[in-house]
Amino acid sequence: MDLREFIKQNIVILDGGMGTLLQERGLMPGEQPERWNLSHPEDIVAIHRDYFDSGSNVVNTNTFGANSLHFSAGELDEIIRAAVENAKKARELSEAPHEKYIALDIGPTGRLLKPMGDLDFEDAVSVFAQTVKLGVKYGVDLIMIETMNDSYETKAALLAAKENCDLPVFVSNAYSENGKLMTGASPAAMVAMLEGMGADAIGVNCSFGPDKLAPIIREYQKYASVPLLLKPNAGLPQSIDGKTVYNTSAEDFAVITSALVRDGVRVAGGCCGTTPAYIKSLVNKLGVMTPAHTEPKHDTIVSSYADAVVFGDDPVLIGERINPTGKKRLKEALRSNDIDYLLSEGNRQQKAGAHILDVNVGLPEIDEPEMLSKVVCELQAICDLPLQIDTSDPVAMERALRIYNGKAMINSVNGKEESMHAIFPLMKKYGGVAVALTLDESGIPDTVEGRVAVAKKIIDTAMIYGIDKKNLIFDTLAMAVSADPQAANITLESLRIIRHELGVHTSLGVSNISFGLPKRDIINSAFFTMALQNGLSAAIMNPFSAEMMKAFYSYRVLRGLDPNCCEYIRFAESVENDMTVSVTDRKQEDISNETLQSAIISGRKEQAAKLCTELLRDTDPMKIVQEHIIPALDIVGRNYEAGKVYLPGLLMSAESAKYAFEEIKKIISTDSSGKSKCSFVIATVKGDIHDIGKNIVKLLLENYGFDVHDLGKDVPPEVIVDETVKLHAPLVGLSALMTTTVPSMEETIVQLREKAPWAKVIVGGAVMTKAYAESIGADKYGKDAMDTVRYADEINASLT
């Protein structure tokens, strides 16, 4: 039976862990598990067969790390061929009567994508595409993308799968203790992006046991209309007598996981530490349980790399300032490639209260596709608001949607056949929520009935493309009342009917209503309030307009959307403090008063370099380091630890500080530029080729003045020990992503204790916990990069 049909009526049972089982069969520390497909096929077949016999409907090929970054083209082909053949043989040997499918297992590359890392998005797509093509070539039944902790890499993998096969694609992400991905994405943000791109099942795996993953999968349930997937670990790991063991029994695992299946999970299995016994116990506990119905959700959601904006009763503000229309300074910035000015506009709009940023760079004399994709990349690196991509050029729209890290708003589509046939295929491929203008080949209807009819046509056409009306937000087109006294009434009545009778959300470019009139904000704010009362969901507006923001905050209080009037009071106090200063004056004041510290905090590296250069004219370099750069990093670090800033923001601030340091280095020697702290040896342990975490820690340590010696990835214990002894380094950092490489980490610690007993050892990585770190003899478990920096600072201070 086709898997897509099977999943509609059945609970799908996945397999469990592979790495721990290979270790039991002799996989050596540092040995790559994927090569066992060729060297130990009988072991791989036996493990797969055990899972099938225990009740698994789906087994993953032993290809978690099989990609072109780790293996040559020829070896990659051989590994995937053998992996699929091993799984097929296991399926043939298994006599279990249930349906059996083979999934091509795809894990993360181990590298961060640009701008946080060095891997280009399209290169990542290409890497995953090569693996997908080989899996399809050798006959897998579905693609399983799992253990992804970065939304951007997840998108690259899903895009590669969708572009290179028509098989079902399951996508599972690994969450941190704070309920977000390593790079900041919330469950709602991931549901929005993955469902928008057409994943067949989405969910959560690894990191924790089923009890700890339950809150995250419940967040998925709030928003997801596709089947949900859950693959927990067997609890938390620890090392006992050199062996990794987990603290959740097969029975307890089955009890908790089966309860989550009863509540709505459709696809269930296990991850690290689980075995065929765990799967058998789960199958027995489930018995003949009828799968819970997957309820379609009707939420209209857009997302950034971090957060989702859900449209509802609370109005959404879309900042309109990154648009050259009528903005001389922005036009100049676009012509001169002054991207930093656009970034500053984005930052200021976010501070002013915008929830989404409109991005329009259309000028006749520039390359719009190139500029739009560049601005989107730069803006999403420093700002966690969703973006509305605003262009009439389909080529520019596709390029921007492709590299956008989330589910974007699309501005716009309309009732013209040409427009719908250009935009709807892009929405279907990349996801998105489109602003739908109520106009067609006949122009803008001058009646309510005409605009509603266009809206119905757009909804019907979208359905043909498989696009639900929840992904359409209708703009009933505010026209100038100076030209037509009935313009506002027609727009508002059309909006009311579309919102309340057609059941879709609405948006307006509010300021068009006052075109040709003096003191336009007076008209705009009144019209805005009227529109909100008639069902306006979102407004494209100027968040620097005091009158518009007064209308917004007042409306929210009067509609009961601001409990205890807290946000209104804060806004009112800010208005009172700023009464004598115009909005324009405030904007200019913000620009002229920008400091090096604020540029670093906002992650604007070019501006940080510029401001540092200006300070160097009359300020001692070390004073700049101690009074501007380090305090900025401390602020961002504290905000990161408090959950107010996500990893991309932390890294972009660190990168901005690095740009400032580079300016300082141009005029003084390195030794006097702040590199005065102790040596820190850092490495990813033998057998592990994932170095994302290590590189993040390295960047922050360097910014805090540590003398970092990065030995790279897949580093033997002897090399780490030799470097530590040579430098007499007081600090050593070890990273590991995979359970199979923790023995290498433990062996490294043993050798360090013997030959470099003075060194403090910090360990971190996806498989690590505090208890696990203590059980292998580490001095410190670095739960994240800032935790490591804080500990290193403590040790450094104790040395002086």
Side-chain angles (χ1 to χ4, degrees):
M1 182 186 296
D2 178 80
L3 179 59
R4 289 191 176 102
E5 289 301 314
F6 182 77
I7 199 173
K8 290 179 182 178
Q9 304 297 329
N10 297 276
I11 296 167
V12 178
I13 304 299
L14 305 176
D15 61 5
M18 173 64 77
T20 47
L21 298 178
L22 292 181
Q23 285 179 314
E24 290 176 1
R25 291 170 176 266
L27 181 74
M28 299 300 293
E31 192 176 2
Q32 290 180 296
E34 294 78 15
R35 288 199 169 104
W36 269 46
N37 289 304
L38 297 167
S39 61
H40 297 74
E42 65 286 350
D43 289 297
I44 304 301
V45 170
I47 291 171
H48 288 328
R49 180 182 178 180
D50 283 347
Y51 278 122
F52 276 135
D53 289 345
S54 297
S56 294
N57 298 115
V58 177
V59 300
N60 287 346
T61 55
N62 180 33
T63 55
F64 181 81
N67 62 61
S68 59
L69 296 178
H70 307 148
F71 301 97
S72 67
E75 187 178 19
L76 182 64
D77 188 299
E78 282 296 296
I79 284 173
I80 293 178
R81 177 195 58 75
V84 177
E85 287 180 358
N86 291 337
K88 285 182 176 180
K89 185 173 182 180
R91 179 167 60 184
E92 293 169 3
L93 292 172
S94 173
E95 296 180 356
H98 54 263
E99 296 287 337
K100 304 182 190 73
Y101 304 92
I102 295 168
L104 177 69
D105 193 27
I106 296 179
T109 62
R111 290 169 61 180
L112 272 176
L113 274 61
K114 294 178 181 178
M116 293 186 293
D118 60 357
L119 183 61
D120 184 77
F121 177 78
E122 291 297 344
D123 290 341
V125 173
S126 178
V127 167
F128 290 123
Q130 291 176 60
T131 300
V132 169
K133 289 175 183 176
L134 289 171
V136 173
K137 174 182 175 181
Y138 292 115
V140 298
D141 302 307
L142 70 149
I143 309 298
M144 174 72 76
I145 299 165
E146 64 170 346
T147 324
M148 293 285 177
N149 54 18
D150 173 21
S151 60
Y152 210 21
E153 185 175 28
T154 308
K155 176 172 181 172
L158 178 54
L159 189 59
K162 300 294 284 186
E163 288 184 335
N164 290 282
C165 75
D166 58 3
L167 299 175
V169 184
F170 292 2
V171 183
S172 183
N173 290 98
Y175 284 80
S176 303
E177 284 183 289
N178 63 2
K180 295 179 180 290
L181 299 190
M182 178 187 73
T183 50
S186 67
M190 292 310 298
V191 170
M193 183 180 78
L194 297 175
E195 190 171 305
M197 291 181 66
D200 294 277
I202 60 177
V204 186
N205 80 291
C206 206
S207 303
F208 307 104
D211 54 336
K212 295 286 195 269
L213 293 184
I216 299 172
I217 203 68
R218 291 190 181 110
E219 280 294 301
Y220 270 66
Q221 286 177 302
K222 290 181 184 178
Y223 303 107
S225 299
V226 298
L228 294 183
L229 179 159
L230 177 64
K231 286 187 64 178
N233 287 350
L236 297 174
Q238 54 187 314
S239 180
I240 298 178
D241 297 329
K243 181 181 179 182
T244 300
V245 297
Y246 289 78
N247 66 357
T248 300
S249 68
E251 176 64 21
D252 290 343
F253 176 91
V255 169
I256 301 169
T257 304
S258 63
L260 293 170
V261 171
R262 184 187 61 239
D263 292 342
V265 168
R266 180 60 65 89
V267 183
C271 200
C272 299
T274 60
T275 65
Y278 280 74
I279 300 305
K280 186 173 184 178
S281 183
L282 175 60
V283 170
N284 290 339
K285 187 64 65 176
L286 290 172
V288 292
M289 183 185 294
T290 301
H293 180 60
T294 301
E295 295 287 343
K297 310 302 189 301
H298 304 293
D299 300 291
T300 299
I301 311 177
V302 294
S303 66
S304 66
Y305 75 82
D307 292 315
V309 171
V310 182
F311 290 79
D313 294 333
D314 210 345
V316 173
L317 304 182
I318 304 172
E320 68 177 10
R321 302 303 298 174
I322 304 178
N323 186 321
T325 304
K327 302 179 186 71
K328 182 179 178 181
R329 176 67 184 87
L330 197 135
K331 289 180 180 178
E332 293 173 356
L334 290 171
R335 292 182 183 120
S336 62
N337 200 34
D338 182 5
I339 302 299
D340 192 75
Y341 178 77
L342 278 72
L343 301 184
S344 69
E345 285 291 274
N347 277 334
R348 283 195 288 274
Q349 289 184 94
Q350 181 171 17
K351 291 177 183 176
H355 306 115
I356 297 170
L357 299 180
D358 184 78
V359 182
N360 183 315
V361 299
L363 283 179
E365 63 268 38
I366 69 171
D367 182 343
E368 186 178 0
E370 177 66 24
M371 178 60 77
L372 184 59
S373 59
K374 183 175 183 179
V375 172
V376 166
C377 277
E378 293 283 348
L379 198 54
Q380 70 184 4
I382 67 156
C383 176
D384 59 7
L385 296 184
L387 302 183
Q388 175 171 277
I389 300 171
D390 185 353
T391 178
S392 58
D393 182 342
V395 174
M397 180 66 76
E398 176 159 21
R399 283 186 61 177
L401 286 174
R402 186 175 180 86
I403 52 87
Y404 179 66
N405 189 0
K407 181 182 181 183
M409 280 194 77
I410 295 170
N411 193 5
S412 59
V413 69
N414 60 57
K416 295 179 180 179
E417 293 295 324
E418 180 184 16
S419 174
M420 292 187 287
H421 296 320
I423 295 300
F424 288 154
L426 299 183
M427 290 179 66
K428 186 65 177 174
K429 180 174 183 177
Y430 300 110
V433 171
V435 176
L437 309 180
T438 52
L439 63 86
D440 59 13
E441 286 83 358
S442 299
I444 301 173
D446 55 9
T447 65
V448 172
E449 295 76 14
R451 295 188 196 184
V452 172
V454 172
K456 290 179 178 178
K457 178 173 72 171
I458 293 172
I459 290 172
D460 291 343
T461 306
M463 289 297 292
I464 295 172
Y465 284 89
I467 297 168
D468 192 278
K469 68 179 183 179
K470 71 181 181 182
N471 290 315
L472 299 170
I473 295 182
F474 283 87
D475 185 335
T476 53
L477 299 169
M479 309 296 289
V481 291
S482 59
D484 179 1
Q486 293 302 311
N489 292 328
I490 294 170
T491 296
L492 294 174
E493 180 61 11
S494 302
L495 185 149
R496 185 191 67 78
I497 292 173
I498 290 172
R499 176 71 186 97
H500 297 295
E501 296 183 16
L502 300 189
V504 290
H505 286 287
T506 57
S507 174
L508 282 175
V510 175
S511 62
N512 295 336
I513 201 73
S514 64
F515 184 78
L517 295 175
K519 304 291 184 181
R520 295 180 64 185
D521 271 1
I522 298 173
I523 294 288
N524 293 345
S525 59
F527 178 65
F528 181 32
T529 303
M530 294 172 70
L532 289 170
Q533 187 62 24
N534 278 276
L536 182 67
S537 309
I540 304 174
M541 47 83 76
N542 178 6
F544 302 125
S545 166
E547 296 302 316
M548 291 290 286
M549 298 307 285
K550 287 175 187 176
F552 170 72
Y553 285 105
S554 300
Y555 174 82
R556 294 186 73 251
V557 167
L558 297 173
R559 291 290 291 176
L561 299 170
D562 184 1
N564 301 315
C565 307
C566 293
E567 293 186 30
Y568 172 80
I569 291 169
R570 280 195 293 270
F571 171 73
E573 290 173 347
S574 71
V575 170
E576 183 177 346
N577 293 336
D578 291 349
M579 280 181 64
T580 59
V581 185
S582 71
V583 172
T584 302
D585 288 341
R586 275 199 304 275
K587 275 190 67 184
Q588 294 303 320
E589 188 177 286
D590 287 344
I591 296 170
S592 60
N593 288 344
E594 184 167 33
T595 64
L596 173 58
Q597 188 174 119
S598 65
I600 291 172
I601 290 171
S602 62
R604 292 164 52 216
K605 50 186 183 287
E606 301 291 346
Q607 184 72 351
K610 176 183 175 184
L611 292 171
C612 186
T613 300
E614 292 175 359
L615 278 174
L616 284 167
R617 294 172 187 164
D618 54 17
T619 307
D620 179 71
M622 283 307 300
K623 187 175 183 181
I624 294 173
V625 171
Q626 297 301 327
E627 296 184 7
H628 295 266
I629 298 176
I630 296 300
L633 290 171
D634 283 340
I635 290 170
V636 176
R638 287 194 296 271
N639 286 337
Y640 173 73
E641 291 167 327
K644 298 176 182 177
V645 169
Y646 305 120
L647 182 63
L650 179 70
L651 293 184
M652 294 311 295
S653 293
E655 189 70 12
S656 299
K658 186 176 178 180
Y659 269 56
F661 274 126
E662 290 303 319
E663 296 304 313
I664 291 172
K665 289 178 186 178
K666 290 177 182 178
I667 61 171
I668 59 175
S669 67
T670 300
D671 288 341
S672 60
S673 69
K675 288 285 179 98
S676 57
K677 295 181 180 178
C678 66
S679 298
F680 192 118
V681 175
I682 192 167
T684 300
V685 298
K686 182 173 175 57
D688 207 313
I689 39 68
H690 302 86
D691 61 358
I692 290 176
K694 171 185 70 65
N695 290 341
I696 293 168
V697 172
K698 173 190 174 185
L699 177 60
L700 290 179
L701 286 170
E702 287 177 336
N703 276 301
Y704 273 83
F706 286 90
D707 182 19
V708 182
H709 294 255
D710 181 7
L711 303 182
K713 56 192 177 184
D714 190 18
V715 184
E718 297 78 14
V719 174
I720 298 170
V721 170
D722 288 348
E723 185 73 2
T724 305
V725 171
K726 183 178 76 174
L727 298 169
H728 201 78
L731 288 162
V732 179
L734 304 176
S735 176
L737 175 78
M738 301 183 297
T739 307
T740 54
T741 58
V742 173
S744 291
M745 182 180 280
E746 187 170 9
E747 173 59 25
T748 303
I749 294 173
V750 169
Q751 292 192 27
L752 283 168
R753 295 298 182 230
E754 179 185 350
K755 298 181 180 178
W758 63 84
K760 298 291 185 182
V761 182
I762 310 166
V763 298
V767 296
M768 278 291 124
T769 64
K770 186 173 186 293
Y772 201 5
E774 290 173 352
S775 70
I776 63 173
D779 295 291
K780 168 70 177 176
Y781 162 56
K783 66 178 181 178
D784 56 42
M786 282 309 304
D787 193 34
T788 301
V789 170
R790 303 288 188 226
Y791 180 75
D793 263 337
E794 290 176 12
I795 299 302
N796 182 74
S798 71
L799 299 173
T800 56

